[in-house]
Amino acid sequence: MKNSIAKILVGAAVVLAGCTDLDEEQFGSLSPAGYYKTETEALSSVVGVYQQLSYVVDIGDPFRISEFGTDEFLVPGRASGGWFDQNNIDIMLHQVKPTNATTGRAWGFIFQEIGTANAVIESLESSPNKANFPGVIAEARALRAYGYFYAMDLWGNVPIFTQARVDPKNLPTNNTRAEVFAFVEKEMLAAVNDLPSVKNVSASYYPRLTKEAVYAALATLYLNAGVYTGTPKWTETIAMTDKVISSGAYFLEANTVDNFKATNEVNSKEIIFAFSVNPTRNAGANQFMLYAQPALDKQRYNLPFTPANGYSTYQEALDRYETADRRRSLLQFGPQTYANGQPLVDSRGVQLNLVPVKDYISAQDNEGYRVLKYVPEGVSWSGFNADNDLVLLRYSDILLMKAEALFRNGNVGAALPLVNQIRTRSNASTLTSLTLKNIEDERAREFIWEGHRRRDMIRFGTYFTGTWTFKTTQTPTWRGIYPIPAEQLTANPNLKQNPNY
């Protein structure tokens, strides 16, 4: 499927040129009447929207601002030069300003995805052949809704705009977070009707959206409804997770890491929604190894490049794992060795010893524990780009979302075995009782660096009340959303800044 997706992406680049921003007036050079004669031609546009949405789990700014500010992700400046960025440090310390460049770029990426989806949907709807591909239109609507989900999650009160072009004399205004929630819910529920079930498609359909993928997205939406609207939707969360479970199409892999190997698009039965990556054909790239690993991992894993020694995690993240928990082995800490136990040493014969970050402004190169999220086993490299598909939703999330919703609905007895399924898979001890903290911590262990942690911490309250390395004071709740970027307020005077910013 990687090759077929790559071929479609080449075609998508033609259609998407000039229509990828809410501020962009040009619609595109191809007429709907002369194009989209077949479903394959229609899909060639939608694949580009998939690629843009992938930034929420790729190593780019939407992913970064979903992880910065949590107790599992930091990028310290290095004493040897490089990596210092005050914008990132301000997010880490919960001191974001409207002028923050990192959150500003993330806004641009997400609204580019939304703008592209708007243009594609309008073009598809204008085609005289649109009745032949309702599923493709549904995909585009669900992908746009996904973009709005992230915009709502990160900035709260964002404009809902569904046209392909913006009238500069009638610029969009903010919608409330609750209004955006209702829009996302309505669009996803409408789209799911025209999408196939995973039970009725072949393996070659991967990685396109299925009913079950949208049900999983709706479960995530409902799980956080109390934060977004003030009204919890635990029963709705359970209903959506049950739709995924009852499909019988998914199960837990023997090891969590199997979901993140280069062969994950072929072998994993746990992945519900992922983004296809094939850097050898210019169809996306996975750069986790480049940005997250220490330089000596070049020789440890025989990499064709030297990793940039950037992304790190905290002692607090490591301390959540029991010693026997297999997920803990993917965190790199302390004296480093090769797989055979031989010390990993530099050119001077000094063994690499990873220690906690002591100075986030000027850290030594060995400061910061690392997370080997996407493993190098079986990778086909294109320079520093890996071909591990980028994972957004997994079946383990379905089980833990259902467990949390059951617990909050008062059914602790039904929630406990779901959490223990996840723990047993990773050789963690079996829980005999359950608390909300158990559930939050289990999510942190299971989904480290998968873009969930900030959203989870806000829902559980620990984003505001918790303290950890470098974050030593409580955070006011209004910082649960980021400020609307200053450049967006300048470009569009109809937008209003979020409260207290």
Side-chain angles (χ1 to χ4, degrees):
M1 188 58 181
K2 285 182 185 287
N3 288 340
S4 60
I5 287 290
K7 291 175 183 176
I8 294 174
L9 274 170
V10 173
V14 176
V15 179
L16 296 174
C19 59
T20 58
D21 197 299
L22 287 182
D23 298 326
E24 183 67 62
E25 293 186 60
Q26 184 178 353
F27 177 67
S29 58
L30 295 179
S31 166
Y35 199 53
Y36 304 143
K37 294 185 177 66
T38 67
E39 183 173 342
T40 299
E41 289 177 345
L43 182 61
S44 70
S45 291
V46 179
V47 167
V49 189
Y50 277 104
Q51 187 179 38
Q52 291 180 345
L53 183 62
S54 71
Y55 292 133
V56 301
V57 287
D58 196 358
I59 211 74
D61 291 302
F63 167 82
R64 291 181 180 112
I65 71 168
S66 295
E67 288 286 352
F68 274 131
T70 73
D71 58 0
E72 70 176 24
F73 188 85
L74 78 159
V75 181
R78 296 291 175 186
S80 56
W83 283 114
F84 175 80
D85 188 329
Q86 189 64 49
N87 296 288
N88 296 340
I89 290 171
D90 287 346
I91 303 173
M92 183 180 78
L93 299 177
H94 295 193
Q95 297 174 1
V96 182
K97 301 178 180 65
T99 53
N100 188 283
T102 306
T103 57
R105 290 192 303 269
W107 172 289
F109 278 119
I110 288 174
F111 276 93
Q112 178 173 314
E113 187 267 352
I114 292 169
T116 301
N118 284 342
V120 168
I121 292 167
E122 184 171 307
S123 184
L124 290 169
E125 292 281 4
S126 300
S127 170
N129 303 305
K130 75 171 189 176
N132 297 330
F133 33 81
V136 179
I137 295 173
E139 283 179 81
R141 290 181 69 179
L143 290 168
R144 179 178 63 187
Y146 234 130
Y148 266 114
F149 167 78
Y150 280 98
M152 170 191 65
D153 181 66
L154 296 166
W155 293 282
N157 309 296
V158 300
I160 300 173
F161 188 83
T162 59
Q163 281 74 53
R165 294 175 294 272
V166 176
D167 179 358
K169 297 180 181 179
N170 186 27
L171 295 173
T173 60
N174 304 72
N175 289 88
T176 66
R177 204 179 201 187
E179 289 171 339
V180 184
F181 176 96
F183 173 79
V184 173
E185 179 186 31
K186 175 176 173 289
E187 287 291 290
M188 286 189 171
L189 287 172
V192 79
N193 294 324
D194 289 318
L195 292 173
S197 169
V198 68
K199 297 180 292 185
N200 300 324
V201 295
S202 66
S204 64
Y205 191 83
Y206 171 95
R208 297 169 62 184
L209 285 169
T210 61
K211 288 183 186 295
E212 288 75 17
V214 178
Y215 291 145
L218 282 162
T220 305
L221 179 73
Y222 291 140
L223 186 72
N224 295 280
V227 174
Y228 300 147
T229 71
T231 303
K233 289 186 177 288
W234 309 123
T235 300
E236 292 86 345
T237 304
I238 295 166
M240 289 299 146
T241 57
D242 280 344
K243 286 180 179 293
V244 179
I245 294 168
S246 65
S247 74
Y250 304 102
F251 57 82
L252 297 178
E253 293 291 333
N255 196 327
T256 302
V257 71
D258 293 343
N259 296 287
F260 303 97
K261 294 180 178 178
T263 55
N264 56 0
E265 83 283 358
V266 175
N267 295 328
S268 177
K269 299 300 182 184
E270 186 173 335
I271 294 174
I272 298 172
F273 186 25
F275 298 99
S276 183
V277 168
N278 189 348
T280 63
R281 299 181 64 87
N282 296 317
N286 186 323
Q287 298 182 346
F288 271 78
M289 286 286 293
L290 169 66
Y291 285 107
Q293 303 311 121
L296 281 178
D297 271 4
K298 177 179 182 178
Q299 62 193 54
R300 173 160 38 187
Y301 299 117
N302 193 29
L303 304 176
F305 62 93
T306 300
N309 200 40
Y311 298 166
S312 305
T313 195
Y314 293 104
Q315 182 72 45
E316 286 86 351
L318 174 64
D319 288 346
R320 273 192 284 266
Y321 295 91
E322 297 173 351
T323 302
D325 192 324
R326 286 197 293 263
R327 295 169 296 192
R328 185 175 186 260
S329 65
L330 293 181
L331 273 66
Q332 298 174 335
F333 58 94
Q336 297 298 291
T337 65
Y338 290 94
N340 63 6
Q342 292 296 311
L344 179 64
V345 299
D346 62 19
S347 58
R348 300 167 298 164
V350 177
Q351 184 177 15
L352 176 61
N353 182 28
L354 296 176
V355 300
V357 175
K358 301 180 180 68
D359 184 347
Y360 62 80
I361 301 294
S362 185
Q364 298 300 314
D365 286 345
N366 69 321
E367 289 183 29
Y369 299 155
R370 313 306 160 84
V371 178
L372 190 66
K373 190 66 195 180
Y374 289 88
V375 298
E377 178 184 346
V379 167
S380 295
W381 296 99
S382 179
F384 47 67
N385 299 309
D387 64 345
N388 314 59
D389 282 4
L390 295 158
V391 177
L392 182 60
L393 288 169
R394 296 192 282 124
Y395 187 60
S396 58
D397 196 10
I398 294 296
L399 297 180
L400 288 178
M401 284 195 287
K402 182 175 181 179
E404 182 181 340
L406 286 167
F407 185 99
R408 293 183 186 271
N409 253 1
N411 194 348
V412 180
L416 179 59
L418 295 174
V419 176
N420 277 330
Q421 278 190 56
I422 307 301
R423 293 180 61 79
T424 299
R425 187 257 294 269
S426 292
N427 199 41
S429 62
T430 301
L431 298 178
T432 57
S433 61
L434 195 62
T435 66
L436 276 178
K437 187 177 188 306
N438 293 147
I439 295 172
E440 181 188 4
D441 286 349
E442 198 60 42
R443 290 188 62 84
R445 284 184 283 265
E446 180 69 12
F447 304 120
I448 188 168
W449 286 20
E450 292 183 50
H452 297 296
R453 185 61 178 153
R454 177 181 178 274
R455 189 165 60 239
D456 287 349
M457 294 187 79
I458 288 172
R459 187 173 68 257
F460 284 96
T462 51
Y463 188 82
F464 312 109
T465 61
T467 58
W468 52 89
T469 307
F470 307 129
K471 196 264 188 182
T472 57
T473 60
Q474 294 195 350
T475 298
T477 56
W478 55 267
R479 286 196 179 274
I481 53 176
Y482 288 124
I484 306 295
E487 63 267 26
Q488 299 300 326
L489 299 176
T490 300
N492 180 1
N494 288 344
L495 293 179
K496 306 298 182 187
Q497 183 56 275
N498 284 327
N500 297 299
Y501 285 108

